Amino acid sequence: MTTPMSGRHSEPQPQPRQAQPWQQPPHPGPGAAPVQDPRAEAVVPHDGYGTVLHGPGEVPRQADVPAPQGPGPMPGTGGAPAGAPAAPAAPGTSGAHAAPVRTGSPIIAPGLLPALVTTALCALLALASQVSQTLLVVPVVLLQAVTAAGWFRLNGMWPARQGIALAFLAGLAADAGLLLLGDGPERAAAVLVGTLAIWIAPVLVLQMRHRGAADERLYALTVTVSATVVTVLAGALAAPWPSGPEGSGDAVLTAVAAVAAAVVVRGLPLPAAAAAVLAAAAAAGSGAALDGVRGAVLGLTAGLCALAGLRVASYDFPSRFVHFTAGVSLPLALAAPAVPVVAGMLEHFGG
């Protein structure tokens, strides 16, 4: 016998039809209420003040853009009134926020004007080196300030006031240590290395306060540490250099003269390869004119370091500010720690 409960379950129940993704909702007839797409009721995140938030790379929907309150111009239309046809987009762009397309080589040499500024700084260093080590610190401090600012701008971090100040203060600490404790090449090297070891701790503390993403913190830490290293090592120009009977002042004179010759020749409107070869030759020649064979080796070393500094200052579409900061200081900043090492080797093997 079939019970009422069992008879009720014996009949198949009609299942509601589910709309397929490719099916469109039925068009409402005349007088019927419009059918609302359930997908339009998705929750849109906002910041609590009426501003709709969008994820990175998302383009705001037309519904998210506020409508103008009157007959004024539409936002983003360049002053065109509402209802006017929009101007066609430029070829190669995909929206109002498209970045400008850069063409050509990203390596742009600083040129002759920054080279002349470097030459003027070399002249200050040469003159001060002939007076005293204490006076030599003054143009070295100027070199360190330009180096710290230019290095951060070269790496795309601007303004970076705390990082620039930290690197510059490290350079000042190295200069003070050289004046007080740097009696001899060995002690001068110990002062420079010790300054770098001490100033790593403030750099780490500064980056611990960084609230950006992990990759941003790592990039900021790398740039700050490298700026501190380059700025401190630029102070090697103020250290007593091993240069035989002539004294450290003549060694500084030989090195900065070679740097000036190299950057000026490299800044001339010549093919890049030819200009680099001629610049190295000019650096070696200027050193030989001042101190013979020893000066030629020192000059060639300083010239090659200057060319490396110019190459670094030429990367990634550098701005004019980069050319007149990093392009001015890096040739001297890279030559400063390298030439004392070569001078010590020449003194050791040449007697």
Side-chain angles (χ1 to χ4, degrees), residues 102 105-111 150 153-155 310-327:
R102 292 178 173 178
S105 174
I107 300 176
I108 304 174
R153 188 65 183 92
L154 175 64
N155 288 274
L310 289 176
R311 183 71 172 183
V312 172
S314 304
Y315 273 107
D316 198 15
F317 296 102
S319 63
R320 190 172 181 84
F321 184 84
V322 172
H323 281 168
F324 279 92
T325 51

Side-chain angles (χ1 to χ4, degrees), residues 19-337:
Q20 300 298 328
W22 62 82
Q23 293 179 351
Q24 301 292 335
H27 183 71
V35 180
Q36 186 176 5
D37 190 357
R39 292 173 298 179
E41 298 179 0
V43 178
V44 179
H46 58 86
D47 59 356
Y49 297 94
T51 303
V52 179
L53 302 179
H54 303 278
E58 295 183 357
V59 179
R61 298 182 304 170
Q62 187 66 26
D64 299 337
V65 180
Q69 303 294 330
M74 293 287 291
T77 58
T93 59
S94 58
H97 301 284
V101 179
R102 292 178 173 178
T103 58
S105 174
I107 300 176
I108 304 174
L112 188 57
L113 290 180
L116 295 178
V117 180
T118 304
T119 303
L121 185 56
C122 289
L124 291 177
L125 290 167
L127 292 176
S129 67
Q130 300 303 306
V131 179
S132 65
Q133 182 188 7
T134 304
L135 185 61
L136 181 59
V137 171
V138 177
V140 168
V141 169
L142 177 60
L143 171 64
Q144 291 171 324
V146 179
T147 301
W151 187 263
F152 276 93
R153 188 65 183 92
L154 175 64
N155 288 274
M157 297 184 63
W158 192 265
R161 299 179 183 90
Q162 294 180 351
I164 294 174
L166 191 61
F168 180 62
L169 289 177
L172 292 181
D175 298 338
L178 289 175
L179 290 177
L180 298 176
L181 305 174
D183 186 12
E186 294 79 9
R187 298 189 67 176
V191 168
L192 294 176
V193 175
T195 303
L196 289 175
I198 292 174
W199 278 88
I200 290 298
V203 169
L204 294 176
V205 171
L206 176 64
Q207 298 308 317
M208 288 175 60
R209 298 175 59 249
H210 198 287
R211 298 175 181 262
D215 54 346
E216 295 179 358
R217 292 197 302 270
L218 179 60
Y219 184 72
L221 176 63
T222 304
V223 174
T224 307
V225 170
S226 58
T228 305
V229 171
V230 174
T231 305
V232 169
L233 293 183
L237 285 173
W241 289 19
S243 57
E246 294 84 358
S248 61
D250 291 337
V252 174
L253 176 63
T254 302
V256 297
V259 170
V263 297
V264 169
V265 174
R266 182 61 182 88
L268 296 177
L270 298 173
V277 173
L278 292 177
S286 65
L290 292 173
D291 196 11
V293 177
R294 179 192 298 272
V297 177
L298 286 175
L300 181 60
T301 302
L304 293 177
C305 292
L307 292 177
L310 289 176
R311 183 71 172 183
V312 172
S314 304
Y315 273 107
D316 198 15
F317 296 102
S319 63
R320 190 172 181 84
F321 184 84
V322 172
H323 281 168
F324 279 92
T325 51
V328 169
S329 63
L330 286 184
L332 282 167
L334 295 188

